[in-house]
Amino acid sequence: MAGVSLQDRKSDVVDRMVSLLDRAADDGARFVAFPELALTTFFPRYWFEDEKDVGRFFEEAMPSPETMPLFGRARERSVAFTFGYAERTAQARFNSSILVTPDGSIAGRYHKVHLPGHADNRPHLPFQHLEKRYFSVSDTGFQTWPLLDMQVGLCICNDRRWPETYRVLALRGAELVALGYNTPTPDTDYPAPDHLAMFHHLLSLQAGAYQNGLWVLAAAKAGWEDGHHLMGGSCIVAPTGEIAVRAIGEGDEVLVYDCDLNLGRTIRDHIFDFAAHRRVEHYGPIVEQTTAESAPAPGDAKSRPVS
Amino acid sequence: MAGVSLQDRKSDVVDRMVSLLDRAADDGARFVAFPELALTTFFPRYWFEDEKDVGRFFEEAMPSPETMPLFGRARERSVAFTFGYAERTAQARFNSSILVTPDGSIAGRYHKVHLPGHADNRPHLPFQHLEKRYFSVSDTGFQTWPLLDMQVGLCICNDRRWPETYRVLALRGAELVALGYNTPTPDTDYPAPDHLAMFHHLLSLQAGAYQNGLWVLAAAKAGWEDGHHLMGGSCIVAPTGEIAVRAIGEGDEVLVYDCDLNLGRTIRDHIFDFAAHRRVEHYGPIVEQTTAESAPAPGDAKSRPVS
């Protein structure tokens, strides 16, 4: 999807999503993945001092009045779908995505686990990344749900860079993982050459797909949002790690692929036969410690510049 | 390293390793990584009915008489090194590698965690992969050791395909991971187009390096061993996931690179700040279950051929 402006009305964005879903259904799609925070601009780039300026980005019910047309059209076309939005529950605010069946019922709900960025105001940056301010860490964890003839897992944006995401979803039976994302160009969170950003995005998806024998659908918001650029790179990755199809532009675009679930089975039956080869007795630190033991404190010690 | 034949004497192989170490030291290397099972052919491809036919591939002491010249030359050149070999202890047989300091003492010892292949005789295959017959699963797990001005971790061959390997090593403080491998061309363990084998090898190394902010040294035996081909692809991967240098042939070859440890620090301080972003409460299944829950039994169910 092309970017969404601060000025755009949610109902107009939903109109675009309905049109995209129609095009996908025309091409035979049975499941459609939309981006993270699809209904609004990527608002965590802005510091809002006043809580009431943030509220308008959040949904308290889903379907909401503005998204009803999307639910309705998907049901008419008998298409399942997923999309991301900012959710306010009675307890907290989450960066959420939902999984909707072809009959329009919500089969699954995911709250983002890996929230990047920071919670404090950093007005010196060209833009901020305030997910840790506006969202709570997931209370759902990684789950999967039966959908059509497959088992589907959800994750969101930064989750895709952490190998634990795909592994937990695979252990919970996922054959396909759908995710939405909004990745700024450049990323202030990582001072590296800009051209590496797309490489890192694809590398993470491809390794996650291959090492777990599953399909990955990655849907970006791309291009400009009020002077801020998102890098795009939507694609469908096969369980071989190969990119099956990839967006070439930064506008609204439909990618359709006939995903053979047996391809993942082949990977999981052979090279990555979990039952035969995984040695959980040696994986303890992954859950027992958050950070590296006896590592030097961040930012100190060695002083050579990064080359 | 080029292949090693069943007929080669260990002392001749060690002569080659001494020559390679000299060339690396001439180019300024302070640490040298050699392949898995460097002293012998990749013997797990053969079924040996009689235990006494297997014994000659194993070492009971290290340094052994045949490897003393390597330890001696490394000490003279003040170079640290690692190499893999088949080890017999009082308890079991392991696929092992050791880390040797510039003064010639053994700083670390690693026994392979992820043993691929099978334990049963499969004479119908063009070659076998009997690591599960000849070796026990690791009793060491993944460890790291201080060496020169860095913290070094070791893994071996198939370990490099499992994201848990790099993650546990990173959590144990690794800034650089050295591994040796012998990967057959084609891989009977995975019925995919042959050209994907090199992609999968590099994908696993690059993702492991990037997602953990560490350098990876991968040293292959390459080319022919008595009519069996090993794919090669030795390389040094930076913490950005970029391949810094890569072998172009299948003979004995020296790759030298000046690895900036600060590059890994940059990754771990920003995008992969473990302390800020890892959510271990959601990673439980990684250690709590070996295989996927409620997944269909391998090989059954869907019958479509792999495309």
Side-chain angles (χ1 to χ4, degrees):
Chain A
M1 283 178 67
V4 175
S5 163
L6 273 168
Q7 274 66 50
D8 287 345
R9 294 187 309 168
K10 286 178 190 169
S11 56
D12 290 337
V13 178
V14 170
D15 284 348
R16 286 166 54 195
M17 293 170 73
V18 168
S19 165
L20 287 164
L21 184 137
D22 265 334
R23 287 164 54 190
D26 290 346
D27 287 346
R30 300 170 62 203
F31 176 50
V32 177
F34 291 103
E36 173 194 36
L37 298 176
L39 307 176
T40 66
T41 196
F42 185 68
F43 66 87
R45 73 168 66 90
Y46 303 109
W47 176 269
F48 294 102
E49 191 65 41
D50 194 330
E51 272 295 310
K52 74 174 189 303
D53 294 329
V54 183
R56 64 185 169 118
F57 299 111
F58 285 79
E59 313 298 325
E60 297 187 0
M62 191 57 64
S64 57
E66 293 94 339
T67 55
M68 282 301 291
L70 178 64
F71 281 75
R73 186 65 58 88
R75 195 169 53 241
E76 284 170 35
R77 304 296 307 254
S78 211
V79 167
F81 65 101
T82 180
F83 72 98
Y85 64 98
E87 180 183 8
R88 183 194 302 273
T89 71
Q91 291 75 42
R93 295 182 303 211
F94 297 104
N95 190 336
S96 297
S97 59
I98 50 169
L99 188 65
V100 184
T101 64
D103 68 2
S105 60
I106 295 177
R109 189 179 297 276
Y110 169 70
H111 295 159
K112 187 172 180 177
V113 167
H114 298 98
L115 297 173
H118 49 95
D120 55 314
N121 194 7
R122 301 184 184 179
H124 59 286
L125 293 176
F127 59 91
Q128 304 200 44
H129 201 134
L130 291 157
E131 290 196 52
K132 286 195 193 291
R133 172 170 164 86
Y134 297 128
F135 303 117
S136 295
V137 170
S138 183
D139 56 351
T140 62
F142 298 107
Q143 300 179 47
T144 69
W145 303 272
L147 181 83
L148 305 171
D149 54 353
M150 57 191 175
Q151 193 77 11
V152 174
L154 299 178
C155 67
I156 300 177
C157 196
N158 190 253
D159 287 328
R160 76 195 189 284
R161 302 184 190 273
W162 301 84
E164 290 89 348
T165 298
Y166 308 93
R167 185 62 104 219
V168 172
L169 288 170
L171 287 166
R172 295 206 152 142
E175 297 174 280
L176 180 146
V177 171
L179 66 98
Y181 64 102
N182 290 272
T183 298
T185 314
D187 191 342
T188 56
D189 205 33
Y190 171 57
D194 288 356
H195 75 90
L196 290 180
M198 185 60 72
F199 166 62
H200 289 157
H201 160 64
L202 296 173
L203 177 64
S204 297
L205 300 177
Q206 293 178 279
Y210 164 61
Q211 293 175 328
N212 296 281
L214 42 78
W215 287 89
V216 177
L217 316 186
K221 271 206 267 114
W224 295 100
E225 290 194 331
D226 302 313
H228 298 283
H229 194 261
L230 299 169
M231 75 170 189
S234 298
C235 59
I236 299 176
V237 182
T240 57
E242 294 170 286
I243 297 168
V245 55
R246 176 175 167 181
I248 56 171
E250 297 183 340
D252 284 355
E253 184 175 345
V254 176
L255 307 178
V256 180
Y257 198 78
D258 183 10
C259 301
D260 179 355
L261 298 177
N262 271 318
L263 198 52
R265 177 66 48 80
T266 301
I267 297 274
R268 293 191 302 273
D269 280 357
H270 292 88
I271 185 76
F272 292 122
D273 180 340
F274 285 4
H277 303 311
R278 292 189 80 241
R279 305 304 316 188
V280 298
E281 72 273 25
H282 292 305
Y283 304 157
I286 292 172
V287 300
E288 290 158 9
Q289 56 188 87
T290 297
T291 189
E293 60 200 27
S294 68
D300 74 5
K302 296 160 188 124
S303 59
R304 282 170 294 167
V306 173
S307 59
Chain B
M1 284 179 65
V4 174
S5 163
L6 273 167
Q7 274 66 50
D8 287 345
R9 295 187 310 170
K10 286 178 189 169
S11 57
D12 290 336
V13 178
V14 170
D15 284 349
R16 286 167 53 195
M17 294 169 73
V18 168
S19 166
L20 287 164
L21 183 138
D22 265 334
R23 287 165 52 191
D26 290 347
D27 286 346
R30 300 171 63 204
F31 176 51
V32 177
F34 292 103
E36 173 193 36
L37 298 176
L39 308 177
T40 66
T41 197
F42 185 68
F43 66 87
R45 75 168 65 91
Y46 304 109
W47 175 269
F48 294 102
E49 191 65 41
D50 194 330
E51 271 295 312
K52 75 175 187 304
D53 294 328
V54 184
R56 64 185 169 116
F57 299 111
F58 284 80
E59 314 297 325
E60 298 187 358
M62 189 58 64
S64 58
E66 293 95 337
T67 55
M68 281 302 290
L70 178 63
F71 280 75
R73 185 65 56 88
R75 195 169 53 242
E76 284 170 34
R77 304 297 306 255
S78 210
V79 167
F81 65 101
T82 180
F83 71 97
Y85 64 98
E87 178 183 10
R88 183 195 301 273
T89 70
Q91 291 75 39
R93 294 183 303 211
F94 297 104
N95 189 338
S96 297
S97 60
I98 50 169
L99 188 65
V100 184
T101 65
D103 69 1
S105 60
I106 295 177
R109 189 179 296 277
Y110 168 69
H111 296 157
K112 188 172 179 176
V113 168
H114 299 98
L115 297 172
H118 49 94
D120 55 313
N121 195 6
R122 301 184 184 180
H124 59 286
L125 293 175
F127 60 91
Q128 303 200 44
H129 202 134
L130 291 156
E131 290 197 53
K132 285 195 193 291
R133 172 172 165 86
Y134 297 128
F135 302 117
S136 295
V137 170
S138 183
D139 56 351
T140 62
F142 297 109
Q143 300 179 47
T144 69
W145 303 272
L147 181 84
L148 306 170
D149 54 352
M150 56 190 175
Q151 194 74 11
V152 174
L154 299 178
C155 69
I156 300 176
C157 195
N158 190 254
D159 286 327
R160 76 194 189 283
R161 302 185 191 273
W162 302 83
E164 290 90 349
T165 298
Y166 307 93
R167 187 61 103 220
V168 173
L169 288 170
L171 287 166
R172 295 205 153 144
E175 299 174 279
L176 180 147
V177 171
L179 67 97
Y181 64 102
N182 292 270
T183 298
T185 314
D187 190 342
T188 56
D189 206 32
Y190 172 57
D194 289 358
H195 75 89
L196 289 180
M198 184 61 72
F199 166 62
H200 288 157
H201 159 65
L202 296 174
L203 177 64
S204 297
L205 299 177
Q206 292 177 278
Y210 164 61
Q211 293 175 328
N212 296 281
L214 43 76
W215 288 87
V216 177
L217 316 185
K221 271 205 268 119
W224 295 100
E225 291 194 330
D226 302 314
H228 299 283
H229 194 263
L230 300 169
M231 75 169 188
S234 298
C235 59
I236 298 175
V237 182
T240 57
E242 294 171 287
I243 297 168
V245 55
R246 177 175 166 180
I248 55 171
E250 297 184 339
D252 285 354
E253 184 174 344
V254 177
L255 306 179
V256 179
Y257 198 78
D258 183 10
C259 301
D260 179 355
L261 297 178
N262 271 318
L263 198 51
R265 176 66 49 82
T266 301
I267 297 274
R268 292 191 303 274
D269 280 356
H270 293 87
I271 185 76
F272 293 121
D273 180 339
F274 285 4
H277 304 310
R278 293 189 79 240
R279 306 303 318 187
V280 299
E281 71 273 26
H282 292 306
Y283 303 158
I286 293 172
V287 301
E288 288 158 9
Q289 56 188 88
T290 297
T291 189
E293 60 201 26
S294 68
D300 75 4
K302 295 161 188 122
S303 59
R304 282 170 293 167
V306 174
S307 59

